[in-house]
């Protein structure tokens, strides 16, 4: 009966739980789900990580290649992030070109990580040669806050990348790659995204599931490293009071510190 009631009246089903300050999965409205981080998940990638937030699962792979710098930034390399939401992760998606949601997530992740790496350090020879980091994030299980999992997976994956030494001969215009000499990427910041859903225009749900997102009247994502707020993204919907926004930012900061500790622990066995 409970399953049928939930299917017929999903919003009322949630209201009955939230009247007791509880969600159907047993969490309080302000509680987030368990996060797990594993690194070096893909042996053929230059860097990789797998992240789970509850049931939501994202795998990220980084592939580094040498290419010509952009004309407007000849002294910098660049990153090319891409989020994929394949049909295997949810019946919401179909085969074919990237969905609007996937494109929006790619844009979100790209902006959130724009200051994460010093792109000038990716340059080998100004206007001639630079490293290009292709970053693919593939959702394996879609159950809410996929953009949060993508950002955590990207952050962890970049920390496993070790680029070989490269020298560029200006006369022959040929690079020499020394695979035995590798250096870590210089990571300048550790952004973590925490998302929230607004239910019935007034109840804030931290780290919502896919079902909670579908019933929400607004969504909010806060990107922070635990100290500095990098961005607050709210694409329309219900308005929030200043107190509610401050509460969300406080939760996001605490979670960012926890997630960055998890990434550090995940990396510790592979540090060399």
């Amino acid at each position: 009966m409970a399953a049928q009631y939930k299917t017929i009246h999903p919003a009322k089903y949630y209201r009955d739980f939230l009247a007791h300050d509880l969600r159907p999965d047993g969490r309080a409205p302000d509680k987030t789900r368990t996060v797990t981080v594993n690194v070096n998940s893909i042996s053929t990638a230059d860097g990789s990580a797998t992240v789970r937030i509850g049931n939501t699962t994202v795998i990220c792979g980084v592939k580094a290649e040498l290419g010509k710098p952009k004309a407007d930034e000849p002294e910098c390399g660049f990153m090319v992030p891409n989020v994929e939401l394949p049909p295997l992760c949810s019946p919401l998606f179909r085969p074919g070109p990237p969905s609007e949601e996937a494109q929006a997530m790619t844009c979100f992740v790209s902006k959130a990580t724009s200051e994460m790496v010093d792109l000038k350090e990716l340059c080998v020879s100004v206007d001639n040669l630079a490293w290009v980091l292709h970053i693919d994030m593939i959702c394996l299980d879609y159950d809410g806050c996929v953009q949060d999992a993508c950002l955590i997976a990207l952050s962890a994956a970049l920390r496993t990348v070790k680029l070989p030494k490269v020298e560029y001969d200006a006369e022959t215009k040929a690079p020499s790659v020394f695979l035995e000499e590798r250096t870590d990427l210089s990571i300048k910041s550790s952004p973590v995204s925490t998302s929230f859903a607004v239910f019935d225009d007034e109840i804030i749900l931290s780290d919502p599931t896919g079902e909670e997102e579908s019933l929400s009247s607004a969504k909010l994502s806060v990107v922070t490293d635990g100290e500095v707020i990098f961005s607050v993204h709210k694409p329309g919907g219900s308005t929030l009071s200043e107190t509610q926004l401050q509460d969300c930012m406080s939760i996001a900061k605490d979670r960012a510190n926890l997630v960055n500790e998890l990434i550090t622990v995940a990396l510790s066995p592979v540090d060399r």
Side-chain angles (χ1 to χ4, degrees):
M1 286 294 293
Q4 294 175 342
Y5 178 52
K6 179 180 178 181
T7 302
I8 298 173
H9 302 291
K12 191 174 186 308
Y13 178 81
Y14 269 84
R15 289 190 191 102
D16 292 342
F17 274 91
L18 292 172
H20 298 87
D21 203 29
L22 201 66
R23 292 148 82 172
D25 61 6
R27 289 184 291 154
D30 63 343
K31 296 300 180 184
T32 57
R33 293 174 289 180
T34 300
V35 178
T36 59
V37 180
N38 292 297
V39 296
N40 291 332
S41 311
I42 308 172
S43 60
T44 54
D46 293 302
S48 60
T50 303
V51 168
R52 291 194 66 181
I53 301 178
N55 291 326
T56 294
T57 307
V58 170
I59 188 167
C60 175
V62 181
K63 202 68 178 176
E65 68 176 18
L66 292 168
K68 188 175 178 61
K70 295 179 180 179
D72 56 340
E73 295 181 321
E75 74 287 355
C76 298
F78 53 96
M79 300 191 297
V80 186
N82 179 57
V83 176
E84 293 186 29
L85 300 175
L88 67 87
C89 76
S90 169
L92 296 173
F93 307 107
R94 295 288 181 267
S99 64
E100 289 186 10
E101 186 171 353
Q103 294 179 56
M105 286 186 186
T106 296
C107 184
F108 173 83
V109 171
S110 180
K111 290 181 179 179
T113 57
S114 60
E115 302 296 328
M116 189 174 177
V117 176
D118 186 354
L119 298 180
K120 290 185 178 180
E121 292 189 2
L122 297 179
C123 183
V124 177
S125 175
V126 176
D127 203 30
N128 293 311
L129 195 68
W131 284 106
V132 181
L133 303 181
H134 295 277
I135 307 169
D136 291 306
M137 293 151 282
I138 303 174
C139 181
L140 304 179
D141 196 339
Y142 184 104
D143 190 26
C145 299
V146 173
Q147 71 275 12
D148 297 352
C150 286
L151 188 54
I152 296 171
L154 185 153
S155 181
L158 284 178
R159 284 169 167 76
T160 66
V161 175
K162 296 181 182 293
L163 297 177
K165 178 182 177 182
V166 179
E167 293 180 354
Y168 181 78
D169 190 321
E171 293 184 1
T172 63
K173 296 184 178 180
S176 299
V177 182
F178 303 90
L179 297 176
E180 67 282 357
E181 297 183 47
R182 293 178 176 267
T183 56
D184 297 328
L185 279 180
S186 177
I187 307 298
K188 298 194 298 180
S189 61
S190 305
V192 174
S193 171
T194 300
S195 293
F196 304 85
V198 182
F199 184 78
D200 275 352
D201 295 330
E202 58 181 18
I203 302 174
I204 308 295
L205 303 179
S206 302
D207 187 20
T209 63
E211 188 173 58
E212 290 169 345
E213 285 185 342
S214 68
L215 294 172
S216 67
S217 56
K219 299 176 186 177
L220 171 74
S221 294
V222 179
V223 180
T224 175
D225 62 356
E227 295 183 2
V228 179
I229 299 293
F230 294 121
S231 67
V232 177
H233 180 66
K234 184 180 180 297
S238 306
T239 58
L240 295 178
S241 67
E242 184 177 346
T243 300
Q244 289 176 318
L245 187 57
Q246 290 294 337
D247 289 343
C248 290
M249 289 192 290
S250 178
I251 292 171
K253 285 183 176 181
D254 291 341
R255 184 166 178 265
N257 287 325
L258 174 61
V259 168
N260 282 324
E261 287 178 9
L262 287 174
I263 293 176
T264 300
V265 172
L267 290 168
S268 57
V270 299
D271 283 341
R272 294 193 293 272

